[in-house]
Structure formats: C-alpha cells, structure tokens
Amino acid sequence: MKKIDRKATLKIIAATSVAIFSLAAVFTATSAWFESVRNVDTAGDAFNVKNLSGHLASVSFHKLDSKTTDSNGDATSFTFSSTAVGTITYDWNNDTGEYVPTLEGDTRIKLKQYDPMDRSQPLLLMLHLSQAYETTGPSIRVNGLTAATGFLGARDSSQQPVYSLDDTDIILDSRGSVHLVDGSSTPYTVNYYWLSSVVQFYQTTFANDTLSWTYAMTSEYATEHSVPKLNNSPDKFVTVDNEAETSSFRNAPNLFSSSNGQTIKNIALVIDYYPDAIEFIYSTYLANAILENTYGSIMSFLCDWSLEVI
C-alpha cells in the first residue's frame, strides 16, 4: 500500500471532521501517570537511601495559548499559558501524589482535537524537580513506559494490518454512545486505542525557576526572538516512514537525558501529535468498514503510558 497523496487524504478526512484524540486521565495517585525512581547511594555493601525525596517534586500542565507557523503551515513556535490547568504534587515520604485542578472538578487533561489542516495541538508538562541538580552525564532521565504491544498502524510483510480495529488486545476501553456522523444519529460503540501510537515529545530544561512559556521549533526563530529551542528530533514510541511503508516501535523510549555539567531545576516536556504516524494509521485502515462506516473516520485514543523520572 503506497502512501496516499496528502491532499487526497485531507479531503477524505476533513469531510468527516476527523479526529478526536483524547488524553483523558484522572490523576489520583503517584502511579496514575508518573513514576519516580529515588536517588540512591550505591557505595558500600548495600543500597542506601541518599535522598528520601524523589527528583520530581511536582508536575504542572499548561495549555497552548498561541503558535506561529511557516508558509507550509508547520509550527515555528509555541506559547503556553503560564497558568496551569492543574498540578500533581508528590509526597515521597508517604508515596502519594495528588492532582489539583485549577477549576474545581476538572480532572481531564487532554490534547485538543487533531485537525489535518492544523496538526500541532501541543500540551506542556512542566516537571518541577525538588532542587537544582548539577548533573553528571545522564544522571536525570525521563522515560516513557507503555504496555502496548506495538504500533496501531503496523503492517506485516504483505503490507496488511497487523491488528484489526476490533481486536480486543488493542482496545483500551469501549463505550456505547450515540454520535452525529455526517448529520446522522446512528448509535455505535466508541473504542479507544493506544495514545502512544500518535504522539511525540519535545523537551528543554531550565537551571532555575525562571521559566519561559514560549518555545522555538527552529534555530532561526530561537535566535531572532531569544527564546528556548525545543530539541531538534522529537522522541516517540513509534517511528514511521511513509515512503518506505515501514514502522518501528519501542515500549520504553528515553524522552530526556541530562548531559554532563548541566544544572537542571525544571524540565519542559511538550506532547504533540505525530502527523506521519496518523497518516500511516489512516493508510493502513483505508477502506476499512469499521473505520469508515462504523466510526465515520473518527478515532479515539486513551493514554496508555506513564512517565518515569529517574
């Protein structure tokens, strides 16, 4: 199956208002989304706790305020709200974490609806460490962890889908509902798939609590506007090549590693859609009856991964 011409793909997708990719999670405990490995002293005959507090003190979530784009519609910078949607604060002595939303009762953190004509809908996670750390090599790391067995759009040697959209192994949740698809009110079941298949991660760091809320995607923009630049190559669970029709999957990618001699107090981690993977998934299931007739080309995703801060 060859890569579909983007214009044709957009025409098909946009006509049915694709797609809802929801990151909807209730944060009630440490294990809900983040895990932290405590700093230990390996000197001597046993592992001794050196610092009872984990590296991570809290995480705040920030919505996109605005972005700039180039002539191709690709983002050149993001500006996020300095006011958090909510914050998770950790008590490592009691191994607890509490999510406090900015608006009472608001326990949903989600990426905005993906639009093929406006593909970047990022969310900023600001990881606040318990102190400023002077790092030696990769002494502070952020890893992604998922129990997903592969990429939702994976194909076999004959370019056929590895998974079917009704495969219970890839469906995280299923809910009966009535949706309006092209003006109709046909009831159907909404299946939620692995969010790890459609996201990528950018990052940068700060040596203190003087934070920036605007980030450059290009060196030119960073130089011209004196704002931090996000890493050149975003990290992800999935890597695809639409021209070669190949994909690869990692269930525990490293999303950040400190370098030797860095001072780190805060880590900015930006989550955004991975458009190439979305195109790959759409190509894999093109003309699939479940995708086109049952879902009306709308796919939904739930968060299947956690972040480990070491």
Side-chain angles (χ1 to χ4, degrees):
M1 184 185 296
K2 296 298 182 183
K3 180 174 183 275
I4 302 172
D5 177 77
R6 174 171 290 181
K7 292 181 180 178
T9 305
L10 294 180
K11 188 180 297 183
I12 294 169
I13 295 177
T16 50
S17 188
V18 178
I20 302 170
F21 296 106
S22 293
L23 167 54
V26 178
F27 304 102
T28 57
T30 305
S31 60
W33 218 21
F34 286 85
E35 300 173 4
S36 182
V37 177
R38 292 176 174 176
N39 187 13
V40 296
D41 183 3
T42 58
D45 296 330
F47 283 80
N48 300 308
V49 175
K50 181 178 180 181
N51 179 358
L52 287 178
S53 296
H55 285 146
L56 188 63
S58 64
V59 181
S60 55
F61 301 81
H62 302 264
K63 287 185 176 180
L64 181 71
D65 258 355
S66 63
K67 61 186 172 186
T68 60
T69 57
D70 60 20
S71 58
N72 295 319
D74 295 323
T76 53
S77 74
F78 298 133
T79 297
F80 296 91
S81 171
S82 59
T83 301
V85 178
T87 302
I88 305 176
T89 303
Y90 297 96
D91 179 348
W92 296 111
N93 290 326
N94 295 308
D95 286 329
T96 60
E98 181 182 8
Y99 175 70
V100 178
T102 301
L103 298 177
E104 185 176 355
D106 184 4
T107 56
R108 292 173 59 86
I109 302 293
K110 62 180 181 179
L111 299 181
K112 287 186 176 181
Q113 179 173 314
Y114 179 80
D115 184 341
M117 303 300 293
D118 186 14
R119 297 175 295 168
S120 287
Q121 304 294 340
L123 176 72
L124 169 65
L125 279 63
M126 190 67 76
L127 282 61
H128 308 278
L129 304 185
S130 55
Q131 65 184 58
Y133 289 93
E134 300 285 343
T135 61
T136 303
S139 55
I140 294 180
R141 302 188 300 280
V142 180
N143 299 322
L145 302 168
T146 180
T149 57
F151 171 44
L152 179 63
R155 304 168 193 165
D156 60 23
S157 58
S158 300
Q159 291 298 306
Q160 297 303 305
V162 171
Y163 304 103
S164 64
L165 291 179
D166 58 356
D167 187 338
T168 57
D169 290 336
I170 65 174
I171 297 172
L172 295 176
D173 192 18
S174 180
R175 303 173 187 175
S177 187
V178 176
H179 291 255
L180 295 178
V181 179
D182 294 334
S184 68
S185 58
T186 303
Y188 66 97
T189 299
V190 178
N191 290 326
Y192 291 86
Y193 300 102
W194 301 316
L195 186 68
S196 58
S197 286
V198 295
V199 293
Q200 56 187 349
F201 303 82
Y202 300 88
Q203 47 79 12
T204 191
T205 64
F206 300 93
N208 50 45
D209 288 325
T210 302
L211 306 176
S212 174
W213 303 105
T214 298
Y215 302 93
M217 302 293 287
T218 65
S219 299
E220 292 79 6
Y221 190 96
T223 300
E224 182 178 353
H225 297 273
S226 299
V227 297
K229 183 184 177 302
L230 297 172
N231 58 309
N232 284 321
S233 300
D235 297 294
K236 35 194 154 349
F237 291 94
V238 174
T239 300
V240 305
D241 185 330
N242 278 303
E243 296 295 337
E245 302 182 82
T246 59
S247 66
S248 60
F249 172 78
R250 297 179 296 166
N251 61 5
N254 174 246
L255 307 179
F256 167 77
S257 288
S258 61
S259 57
N260 196 41
Q262 261 189 300
T263 300
I264 301 175
K265 179 64 167 62
N266 294 278
I267 302 171
L269 190 67
V270 175
I271 306 171
D272 200 2
Y273 292 113
Y274 180 19
D276 286 352
I278 295 171
E279 288 186 17
F280 201 101
I281 291 171
Y282 187 78
S283 297
T284 296
Y285 297 108
L286 184 65
N288 181 284
I290 294 176
L291 175 62
E292 299 196 356
N293 300 331
T294 305
Y295 293 168
S297 293
I298 298 175
M299 295 188 71
S300 300
F301 292 75
L302 282 177
C303 185
D304 60 296
W305 42 268
S306 63
L307 295 180
E308 177 185 66
V309 181
I310 301 176

